Amino acid sequence: MKGRDVIMGILTQLSKGEGKTVEFKADLPLSDQIAKTVVAFANTAGGKIFIGVKDDGTVCGVDNKILLDRIEAIANMLHDKISPFILPDIYSYAVEDKNIIVVEVFQSQLKPHFLKNKGKLDGTYLRVGANNKKADENLRVMNAKYQNSLATLTDLLDAESQWQSAHSNLIEAQTQYKIYQ
């Protein structure tokens, strides 16, 4: 019964669509997109990436022959591309007779995380609604304050993250209000 409950929970998440803590990918992108989303989730409230799911929540699946290779590729890519290193839970489930991969990222205490190839100032991302947003100008200001010992970078990034979260919650509330009108 427990396995069925897990699958029902996944189907419920898929039916709600992408958002602040949920991202869908039909396949494993070749770009930095997965790493960028993992960074954004870790720097804000955490979240799950469902690979083998289209943007509309339809399960397209990951070929069983390459499932383990994809999981290993994700783990290696995240290790190679993100600093400080993030260790998400990566697992697979059979949903609607198709395999999906779930990358579960937890909110980090080691913020800010960033893409190594872009550096801390250009490679730090936050999750705002269903999008990854570069924490560029605000992070530059924060870094200047940090360099002058006026605040810690982590404290300032936390403040930015809280503002982004409040803004995201406002957008979600406005959307719900329009739905019920």
Side-chain angles (χ1 to χ4, degrees):
M1 202 59 175
K2 186 178 180 182
R4 176 174 281 184
D5 291 341
V6 170
I7 300 303
M8 292 305 295
I10 289 172
L11 289 172
T12 299
Q13 283 184 311
L14 298 183
S15 71
K16 291 180 180 179
E18 294 183 315
K20 180 180 173 184
T21 59
V22 176
E23 177 81 15
F24 301 150
K25 295 292 176 199
D27 197 7
L28 185 61
L30 298 176
S31 68
D32 287 344
Q33 191 59 43
I34 295 285
K36 190 185 297 184
T37 301
V38 168
V39 164
F41 281 159
N43 284 335
T44 47
K48 293 180 182 177
I49 304 169
F50 294 91
I51 300 169
V53 178
K54 296 179 183 177
D55 284 341
D56 64 2
T58 305
V59 177
C60 56
V62 176
D63 187 349
N64 195 41
K65 295 175 187 171
I66 61 169
L67 184 66
L68 294 177
D69 290 338
R70 290 282 193 226
I71 291 172
E72 186 175 338
I74 293 166
N76 288 334
M77 175 187 52
L78 297 177
H79 180 268
D80 294 344
K81 292 184 180 263
I82 298 174
S83 182
F85 178 65
I86 299 170
L87 186 61
D89 287 344
I90 305 172
Y91 44 89
S92 65
Y93 283 109
V95 177
E96 298 176 351
D97 296 324
K98 297 173 186 163
N99 294 312
I100 64 167
I101 298 171
V102 180
V103 180
E104 185 171 4
V105 182
F106 302 96
Q107 183 177 8
S108 178
Q109 300 302 313
L110 300 175
K111 304 172 198 173
H113 293 276
F114 58 93
L115 299 177
K116 290 178 184 178
N117 64 342
K118 294 187 178 200
K120 191 178 284 186
L121 291 180
D122 291 324
T124 301
Y125 293 86
L126 300 171
R127 188 73 173 181
V128 180
N131 298 298
N132 303 323
K133 297 289 184 182
K134 190 173 169 183
D136 55 1
E137 194 56 38
N138 290 327
L139 189 60
R140 290 178 209 281
V141 171
M142 290 179 218
N143 190 50
K145 290 180 180 180
Y146 170 74
Q147 295 298 329
N148 292 321
S149 300
L150 298 175
T152 67
L153 189 57
T154 300
D155 290 340
L156 293 167
L157 187 59
D158 282 342
E160 169 75 4
S161 178
Q162 289 172 5
W163 181 89
Q164 295 286 2
S165 179
H167 183 69
S168 178
N169 290 339
L170 173 65
I171 292 170
E172 288 178 29
Q174 289 171 335
T175 302
Q176 289 297 324
Y177 177 73
K178 289 178 183 177
I179 289 172
Y180 292 116
Q181 278 189 338

